[in-house]
Amino acid sequence: MKITIINGTNRTGNKSIKVTTNTAEIINELGYESSIVTMNNFKELFTGNYLNFIEANTNQKIDLENMQSADVLIFVSPTYHHGIPAALKNFLEIIKEKVIYENKVIGLISSNSSGRAYGAYQAMEVLHGIIAYNKLNSYIISTVPIIDHENIDNERICEFIKYCSSLLNLTKNNIKL
């Protein structure tokens, strides 16, 4: 099983990258393959021109291919002003390749130190909206672990990864969730 983790901010010195890299290490320890996508390769603002595999630059293509080849996508998103970072929203809007979300289990980890999940629920609504709008056959996990980026709860992340894996097995066996 391959899991791609998308770090949802490009803020200099962001603390979510610590949760993202920690999650990748846990995935590897569980015997799965992991890759990390950051917002650093997707800094151009959405102006109505979508990005696809043909028009993407080399680094963007690598990131999009990592997402396409994954069985599970996990977004790690900090909470900014009770919402998701502008970089993540821009990323979700600019990508036109539906195939990167099709037939995937999609999860979200909220990375913040407040313990509040306002932004996580907004991010979940955005992900649901994209899947619904594009009429994709994907499953978005409703459970959102809130991880304090200062005191990362590895056990909680590990349980979340196992939960993603179990849902993937159910979807591959054509069991309706």
Side-chain angles (χ1 to χ4, degrees):
M1 177 172 70
K2 181 176 179 186
I3 301 173
T4 296
I5 309 132
I6 300 98
N7 187 52
T9 184
N10 60 358
R11 181 180 278 182
T12 303
N14 77 79
K15 296 177 183 176
S16 294
I17 195 67
K18 186 174 168 185
V19 175
T20 300
T21 55
N22 211 59
T23 301
E25 290 170 8
I26 292 168
I27 289 167
N28 295 335
E29 288 170 8
L30 290 171
Y32 304 130
E33 182 184 346
S34 70
S35 61
I36 295 173
V37 171
T38 68
M39 300 293 102
N40 295 336
N41 294 327
F42 301 90
K43 290 184 179 180
E44 63 273 352
L45 291 176
F46 182 58
T47 60
N49 295 319
Y50 293 101
L51 182 65
N52 58 35
F53 284 111
I54 295 168
E55 295 160 351
N57 66 38
T58 303
N59 291 331
Q60 291 169 334
K61 283 181 186 178
I62 292 168
D63 286 343
L64 295 175
E65 287 168 358
N66 278 329
M67 291 177 71
Q68 180 183 353
S69 65
D71 300 299
V72 176
L73 299 175
I74 296 176
F75 289 84
V76 175
S77 178
T79 302
Y80 290 171
H81 307 288
H82 305 288
I84 62 174
L88 179 56
K89 186 166 187 316
N90 186 64
F91 172 80
L92 295 169
E93 288 178 347
I94 202 169
I95 305 299
K96 188 64 174 172
E97 295 292 346
K98 295 179 184 179
V99 69
I100 65 172
Y101 300 108
E102 183 72 29
N103 295 314
K104 308 268 192 258
V105 170
I106 301 171
L108 173 70
I109 296 174
S110 178
S111 163
N112 65 63
S113 57
S114 69
R116 296 188 179 104
Y118 303 125
Y121 295 124
Q122 182 179 1
M124 193 61 68
E125 287 176 15
V126 170
L127 291 173
H128 275 289
I130 289 167
I131 300 305
Y133 177 79
N134 289 311
K135 300 177 181 143
L136 298 173
N137 183 30
S138 298
Y139 180 74
I140 299 177
I141 299 172
S142 58
T143 303
V144 180
I146 312 299
I147 302 297
D148 178 347
H149 47 251
E150 298 298 331
N151 301 300
I152 298 173
D153 186 346
N154 288 340
E155 187 174 322
R156 191 169 191 186
I157 293 173
C158 185
E159 289 305 312
F160 184 69
I161 301 303
K162 289 177 183 176
Y163 182 59
C164 291
S165 174
S166 68
L167 291 176
L168 178 65
N169 290 332
L170 289 175
T171 60
K172 288 199 179 223
N173 292 318
N174 294 320
I175 297 173
K176 298 289 181 192
L177 300 172

